[in-house]
Amino acid sequence: MASRAGAAFPFVAMLLLLAPGVEPIGLWLPPPYGGGRLGAAPGRYLTQEERWMNQTLDHFNPTDHRQFKQRYYEFLDYYRAPKGPIFLYICGESSCNGIPNSYLAVMAKKFGAAVVSPEHRYYGKSSPFESLTTENLRFLSSKQALFDLAVFRQYYQETLNAKYNRSGADSSWFVFGGSYAGALSAWFRLKFPHLTCGSLASSGVVLSVYNFTAFDKQIGESAGPECKAALQETTKLVDGQLQSGRNSVKQLFGASMLENDGDFLFLLADAAAIAFQYGNPDAVCSPLIEAKKNGTDLVETFARYVKDYYIGTFGASVASYDQEYLKNTTPTPAESAYRLWWYQVCSEVAYFQVAPKNDSVRSAKIDTRYHLDLCTNVFGEGVYPDVFMTNLYYGGTRIAGSKIVFANGSQDPWRHASKQKSSKELPSYLIECSNCGHCSDLSGCPQAPSHIEGYSSNCSSPEAVNKIRKQIADHIDLWLYQNAKTKDHRQFKQRYYEFPDHHAAGGDGPVFLRICGEESCNGIPNDYLAVLAKKFGAAVVTPEHRYYGKSSPFESLTTENLRFLSSKQALFDLAAFRQHYQETLNARHNRSSGFDNPWFVFGVSYAGALSAWFRLKFPHLTCGSLASSGVVLSVYNFTDFDKQVGESAGPECKAALQEITRLVDEQLRLDSHSVKALFGAETLKNDGDFLFFLADAAAIAFQYGNPDAVCPPLINAKKSGRSLVETYAQYVKDFYIGRWGTAVSSYDQEYLKKMTLDDTSYRLWWFQVCSEVAYFQVAPQNDSVRSPKIDTRYHLDLCRKVFGEGVYPDVFMTNLYYGGTRIAASKIVFTNGSQDPWRHASKQKSSEDMPSYIMKCRNCGHGTDLRGCPQLPSRIEGDPSNCSSPEAVSTVRKQIASHIDLWLSQCQGPARAW
């Protein structure tokens, strides 16, 4: 990924521009060595025989059924048919002219693997459009490319099964990629972990960077003091000549066509970087150091290197640095990669290789403004890379994946956009030698000329390269073994319900998937979803969440046995259930297996978050989602919860609750048993458990639309001088324990430690809280309603005491995986009640294709849009007549129905193959 013209271009035209004889790592070779490459030397490719498949143009729009031809290659010479693994080698930002004979060939031979390699959408011969206008480039992104890989993987598996007369067989797949394709390899394992046993991210640039100053700093470090000083002096001299109007300096470099000085300076920076990136430091440093010692002109010496090596041997195209050239929307397939990669840079990943403020090698004129101006000039206004969102979606170097090997060369400037530190199940290796650069683990070094099977003998330390290769092979061996030999084929019985009474005749109507969340699922509730089902002629199905109710894989809920309880596992459960029920429906109505009903997903609270996350992670399986009070933001210290309780209570009630908290805290110090007995909670030995119980009792009234159950008695008691504590204790026993049905024992940490409970949901939800989502409802520092003893330490101690050491919620990683309130999805409706304290963990602001509505009324709480209010007793069909503002609820319901109607209509059409 050098930069620009190819996975080897120092910056961004692509990540790799290689020279004659250089094997591309997922990238492209410029003219005259690009094109069809039919005259390539024997042995440089394992195969160049082209194959084709039909690929979906837009994976995120169910109404767009357009397709394009995607080129791919297969190599079966080493395949141990039919049970050998499949190595998926990703072609990146270049024309893909075959499968290179790199170290991948050695590993394919070792593991008896088939090798397949699809060309990246738009590049080479796999372009959906003849004209590459900015409008036509809107389907060019890493996200679309990942779905291409998933579709290709399924297509090729079926092709292989047909070839060997197998049905339903699934081979062990392993994914490889270098540079940008290395990032795709890592991201594919992240987003589709069920489709690959693991991934190799060779020089995988998983971190999008806006101002990539570390790139230039590494050039200086790799060059060493003498060469760095010579390069810096050359830059200074060239800057001076340009400033004095001496354009003859461009002619000296064979680059007089570059009228924009920034383009010219970028060419020179790339020319220097490429030597270190691809393991040829002597090509540039030796002549410069010699010239410096002899007093020879440095600019002329560097110009000779650029013309002889970068343009000559390496094959760089000067024209590709010309912004006017990049504006050409009808380049040849061999030339299109420059414009295409710049579009990906300008719209998604950036990697702006700018000069550091101090001690830079490249010209200071190569700054952020240069890059942004290029993006605007070439692609028009509004095209810029939101690297925050890209890193939020994939995780950057904190990628939350598993079974991914990262490998980087010590001299490669791109390694600073890769993951360089090992973490659990994500090993990272640095190949240390003086000419170990970009993708040395697969290509060897130096990479001009290329080395058959990635031969490492010309690396300054072949041992360093071979050591890492052994580590890589060991990981592949282990992960393939785990998949083939110890893959967990265990299953469990999952309970579900169906209600087809309103389903359109013939079974062609939509299917409403109602998600049951963190409790036993005892049926499909007759709430407002029933009204919607009747309106849209929908069947309603509801699967129980794994582990809860009767859907537990284990009888004993030890911490070890709970390791399969997570939102991620639950989402895949939903995908598997969706497929199961669709097949059931097709069989029932005697339809072909390819028929697909339009699906819409619903959920409330945590299930509301699952509903949103299902649309995020499986957009091809649902037309849209309703996230009712969907708590998509994991929060470590959730102080906003308590603040909302105070706000919903109002000044008088809030003051009464605060006084009760103060009095109870004081009585606990004096006679804890008596005050606990007053509340019927003397079994709670831990004061924190008792105080948490009291805080929940208050919150539940506002959360579920029953503020009058708690506030009027407290306000009256305050006015009449009666005991506030006794009055509140009466409310807790009558309403929270009596009518609401709360079990006091569920707050007892000793009870939560039991692994065979009558009602398992308490222990189960606490495990999810402690291992993934947190939502720690702690007291704010000032003006809190709950006791300050309910703090972070209380929650962490509970997690450790109940589940053991090492169980804690990494909310950063959870939000990184799902996006929090900046969820990068579409066609999700978020709804919240104005009095619900949980709304502060939901998405409360509308964004493109993700509307968010707040129902404003004094008893509009959790899930009011579906359940009505108050929620005790429950309301048939979610009757809103007892809401303080039925109109507020009805207005939002009308909006929900409108979105469902629109998105279902957009979903109609033939089933898509995937």
Side-chain angles (χ1 to χ4, degrees):
M1 221 165 146
S3 85
R4 115 180 226 174
F9 266 107
F11 172 88
V12 280
M14 304 178 24
L15 291 170
L16 217 147
L17 202 176
L18 301 182
V22 178
E23 287 306 325
I25 290 298
L27 284 159
W28 172 79
L29 196 64
Y33 308 103
R37 294 214 236 177
L38 295 178
R44 287 183 54 203
Y45 290 93
L46 297 177
T47 181
Q48 288 186 281
E49 183 181 347
E50 296 176 346
R51 296 175 180 273
W52 300 89
M53 67 165 286
N54 292 324
Q55 184 60 265
T56 300
L57 175 63
D58 186 1
H59 297 283
F60 305 107
N61 184 355
T63 66
D64 190 341
H65 302 291
R66 288 176 292 173
Q67 294 184 321
F68 66 95
K69 292 287 186 182
Q70 185 172 27
R71 177 167 60 164
Y72 74 94
Y73 303 88
E74 83 173 342
F75 181 74
L76 301 178
D77 289 22
Y78 304 142
Y79 184 42
R80 194 167 54 244
K83 295 185 178 180
I86 313 296
F87 284 179
L88 172 56
Y89 179 77
I90 302 174
C91 268
E93 70 282 20
S94 64
S95 179
C96 189
N97 299 310
I99 301 176
N101 188 4
S102 65
Y103 190 70
L104 179 67
V106 178
M107 291 191 286
K109 195 182 301 182
K110 172 183 173 66
F111 291 104
V115 185
V116 289
S117 186
E119 185 168 56
H120 194 294
R121 59 169 50 210
Y122 282 82
Y123 291 89
K125 295 182 180 180
S126 299
S127 182
F129 303 101
E130 291 184 5
S131 177
L132 300 179
T133 62
T134 301
E135 171 68 14
N136 282 348
L137 292 178
R138 68 189 185 279
F139 305 107
L140 174 57
S141 70
S142 61
K143 298 180 184 70
Q144 294 279 9
L146 290 176
F147 274 87
D148 287 346
L149 292 171
V151 171
F152 171 79
R153 192 265 195 209
Q154 295 302 89
Y155 162 83
Y156 188 77
Q157 183 66 64
E158 292 172 6
T159 302
L160 209 59
N161 288 349
K163 183 183 181 91
Y164 293 104
N165 296 314
R166 300 184 302 178
S167 176
D170 200 44
S171 304
S172 296
W173 285 67
F174 205 96
V175 183
F176 300 79
S179 197
Y180 161 63
L184 289 177
S185 179
W187 295 337
F188 186 76
R189 170 65 191 172
L190 170 70
K191 298 298 183 180
F192 298 95
H194 58 301
L195 296 184
T196 176
C197 306
S199 292
L200 170 64
S202 173
S203 300
V205 286
V206 293
L207 179 67
S208 297
V209 193
Y210 197 64
N211 290 321
F212 195 9
T213 54
F215 188 96
D216 189 87
K217 292 177 182 176
Q218 182 63 55
I219 298 299
E221 183 180 319
S222 296
E226 283 188 288
C227 185
K228 177 182 177 181
L231 286 168
Q232 289 175 319
E233 187 173 345
T234 303
T235 298
K236 182 179 178 182
L237 291 169
V238 170
D239 274 345
Q241 291 182 39
L242 287 173
Q243 195 167 357
S244 63
R246 292 168 57 191
N247 284 326
S248 57
V249 69
K250 294 180 182 177
Q251 188 174 358
L252 181 65
F253 284 84
S256 51
M257 68 177 296
L258 300 180
E259 295 182 5
N260 183 309
D261 288 353
D263 295 346
F264 173 64
L265 292 168
F266 200 78
L267 163 70
L268 300 196
D270 265 9
I274 212 75
F276 308 103
Q277 180 171 331
Y278 287 106
N280 291 278
D282 292 341
V284 65
C285 286
S286 294
L288 286 180
I289 293 172
E290 189 67 23
K292 182 71 174 172
K293 289 178 179 177
N294 297 337
T296 309
D297 189 291
L298 279 175
V299 175
E300 290 182 2
T301 302
F302 188 58
R304 191 157 42 249
Y305 155 78
V306 171
K307 289 185 292 185
D308 292 349
Y309 182 82
Y310 189 46
I311 298 173
T313 302
F314 208 80
S317 165
V318 174
S320 69
Y321 288 83
D322 183 2
Q323 292 183 36
E324 292 305 310
Y325 174 88
L326 293 174
K327 290 164 75 173
N328 179 17
T329 58
T330 55
T332 66
E335 297 171 331
S336 64
Y338 301 110
R339 176 173 173 83
L340 295 173
W341 179 242
W342 266 113
Y343 179 79
Q344 290 193 259
V345 164
C346 290
S347 62
E348 190 175 20
V349 292
Y351 306 133
F352 290 166
Q353 293 154 36
V354 301
K357 287 185 179 180
N358 302 305
D359 201 32
S360 67
V361 173
R362 65 187 57 217
S363 170
K365 293 178 181 176
I366 306 175
D367 56 8
T368 309
R369 176 48 52 199
Y370 165 75
H371 290 86
L372 292 176
D373 286 347
L374 183 151
C375 293
T376 300
N377 186 30
V378 174
F379 301 107
E381 296 289 343
V383 177
Y384 71 96
D386 190 343
V387 298
F388 177 84
M389 290 306 294
T390 302
N391 289 328
L392 197 63
Y393 186 74
Y394 292 122
T397 54
R398 295 194 65 175
I399 179 172
S402 65
K403 297 186 177 179
I404 306 169
V405 186
F406 290 86
N408 290 281
S410 59
Q411 307 310 306
D412 181 16
W414 284 103
R415 70 182 175 94
H416 300 285
S418 184
K419 179 174 170 60
Q420 298 188 80
K421 291 183 179 179
S422 289
S423 56
K424 186 179 181 183
E425 284 215 88
L426 294 173
S428 181
Y429 301 108
L430 187 66
I431 313 170
E432 299 193 49
C433 73
S434 65
N435 63 343
C436 287
H438 208 54
C439 307
S440 288
D441 53 316
L442 289 179
S443 296
C445 42
Q447 292 179 37
S450 64
H451 299 281
I452 301 301
E453 295 189 342
Y455 197 46
S456 62
S457 62
N458 288 322
C459 298
S460 66
S461 174
E463 299 79 14
V465 179
N466 294 335
K467 179 181 177 182
I468 300 307
R469 286 177 171 176
K470 185 180 184 302
Q471 299 272 25
I472 292 170
D474 286 347
H475 287 297
I476 295 173
D477 196 18
L478 173 63
W479 296 339
L480 287 176
Y481 175 81
Q482 289 176 339
N483 186 70
K485 302 298 183 184
T486 62
K487 184 176 180 180
D488 196 339
H489 298 290
R490 287 176 295 174
Q491 295 182 325
F492 67 96
K493 293 288 187 182
Q494 185 171 26
R495 177 169 59 164
Y496 73 92
Y497 304 88
E498 71 169 342
F499 182 73
D501 289 25
H502 301 315
H503 208 198
D508 293 345
V511 180
F512 285 177
L513 171 56
R514 169 72 174 258
I515 302 174
C516 262
E518 69 283 20
E519 62 184 347
S520 178
C521 190
N522 299 313
I524 300 176
N526 186 10
D527 58 14
Y528 188 67
L529 183 61
V531 179
L532 292 172
K534 193 182 301 181
K535 173 181 174 66
F536 290 102
V540 184
V541 289
T542 296
E544 187 169 55
H545 195 294
R546 59 168 49 209
Y547 282 83
Y548 291 90
K550 295 182 178 180
S551 299
S552 183
F554 303 100
E555 291 185 6
S556 176
L557 300 179
T558 63
T559 301
E560 172 67 14
N561 282 348
L562 292 178
R563 67 189 185 279
F564 306 107
L565 173 58
S566 70
S567 62
K568 298 181 183 71
Q569 295 279 10
L571 291 175
F572 277 90
D573 288 346
L574 292 171
F577 170 78
R578 193 263 196 210
Q579 207 67 7
H580 162 80
Y581 189 76
Q582 182 65 65
E583 291 171 3
T584 301
L585 214 53
N586 289 348
R588 182 182 298 165
H589 294 284
N590 297 313
R591 298 182 304 205
S592 67
S593 59
F595 187 88
D596 210 38
N597 290 78
W599 286 65
F600 207 96
V601 183
F602 300 79
V604 180
S605 194
Y606 162 61
L610 289 176
S611 178
W613 294 338
F614 187 77
R615 172 65 192 171
L616 169 70
K617 298 298 182 180
F618 298 95
H620 57 297
L621 295 184
T622 176
C623 305
S625 291
L626 170 65
S628 173
S629 302
V631 285
V632 293
L633 179 67
S634 295
V635 192
Y636 197 65
N637 290 320
F638 195 9
T639 54
D640 283 340
F641 188 96
D642 189 87
K643 291 176 182 177
Q644 182 64 55
V645 170
E647 183 180 320
S648 297
E652 282 188 290
C653 186
K654 176 183 177 182
L657 286 167
Q658 288 176 321
E659 187 173 345
I660 291 165
T661 296
R662 182 181 60 79
L663 291 169
V664 168
D665 275 345
E666 186 177 319
Q667 290 181 39
L668 282 174
R669 286 194 296 270
L670 300 173
D671 184 1
S672 63
H673 180 79
S674 296
V675 70
K676 290 175 183 177
L678 182 63
F679 285 85
E682 60 269 30
T683 58
L684 299 179
K685 306 303 180 186
N686 183 308
D687 288 354
D689 295 347
F690 173 65
L691 292 168
F692 197 80
F693 164 65
L694 298 195
D696 264 10
I700 213 75
F702 309 104
Q703 180 173 331
Y704 288 108
N706 292 278
D708 292 342
V710 64
C711 284
L714 291 181
I715 293 171
N716 289 336
K718 178 71 173 174
K719 289 178 178 178
S720 62
R722 286 182 287 113
S723 170
L724 280 174
V725 174
E726 290 181 4
T727 303
Y728 186 58
Q730 197 65 47
Y731 154 78
V732 170
K733 288 184 289 187
D734 291 350
F735 183 85
Y736 191 47
I737 298 175
R739 293 180 60 197
W740 196 259
T742 300
V744 174
S745 60
S746 68
Y747 288 84
D748 184 359
Q749 292 182 36
E750 291 303 315
Y751 175 82
L752 293 175
K753 289 166 69 176
K754 293 181 180 179
M755 298 162 195
T756 53
L757 307 178
D758 295 332
D759 187 341
T760 60
S761 60
Y762 302 114
R763 176 173 171 83
L764 295 173
W765 179 241
W766 267 114
F767 180 78
Q768 291 194 258
V769 164
C770 289
S771 63
E772 191 175 20
V773 292
Y775 306 134
F776 289 166
Q777 296 155 39
V778 301
Q781 287 188 344
N782 301 305
D783 202 32
S784 66
V785 173
R786 67 188 55 217
S787 170
K789 293 178 181 177
I790 306 173
D791 57 8
T792 309
R793 175 49 53 198
Y794 165 75
H795 290 85
L796 291 176
D797 285 347
L798 183 152
C799 293
R800 186 177 61 254
K801 184 175 181 182
V802 173
F803 301 106
E805 295 291 342
V807 177
Y808 70 96
D810 190 343
V811 298
F812 177 85
M813 294 307 293
T814 301
N815 288 328
L816 204 59
Y817 185 73
Y818 293 122
T821 54
R822 296 194 64 175
I823 180 173
S826 65
K827 297 185 178 179
I828 304 170
V829 186
F830 289 87
T831 57
N832 288 281
S834 59
Q835 307 309 305
D836 181 15
W838 283 105
R839 70 183 177 95
H840 300 284
S842 184
K843 179 175 167 60
Q844 298 187 82
K845 291 184 178 179
S846 292
S847 56
E848 187 178 359
D849 225 5
M850 283 191 288
S852 181
Y853 303 105
I854 295 182
M855 294 162 284
K856 297 183 180 180
C857 72
R858 63 178 298 272
N859 62 343
C860 286
H862 209 55
T864 291
D865 53 318
L866 289 181
R867 297 167 173 166
C869 43
Q871 292 178 39
L872 189 65
S874 61
R875 307 288 160 181
I876 302 300
E877 295 190 342
D879 181 16
S881 59
N882 287 321
C883 298
S884 66
S885 174
E887 299 79 13
V889 179
S890 298
T891 298
V892 170
R893 286 178 172 178
K894 185 178 178 183
Q895 297 277 21
I896 292 169
S898 177
H899 289 297
I900 295 173
D901 194 20
L902 173 63
W903 295 341
L904 285 177
S905 70
Q906 291 175 342
C907 231
Q908 304 297 331
R912 296 203 297 170
W914 142 225

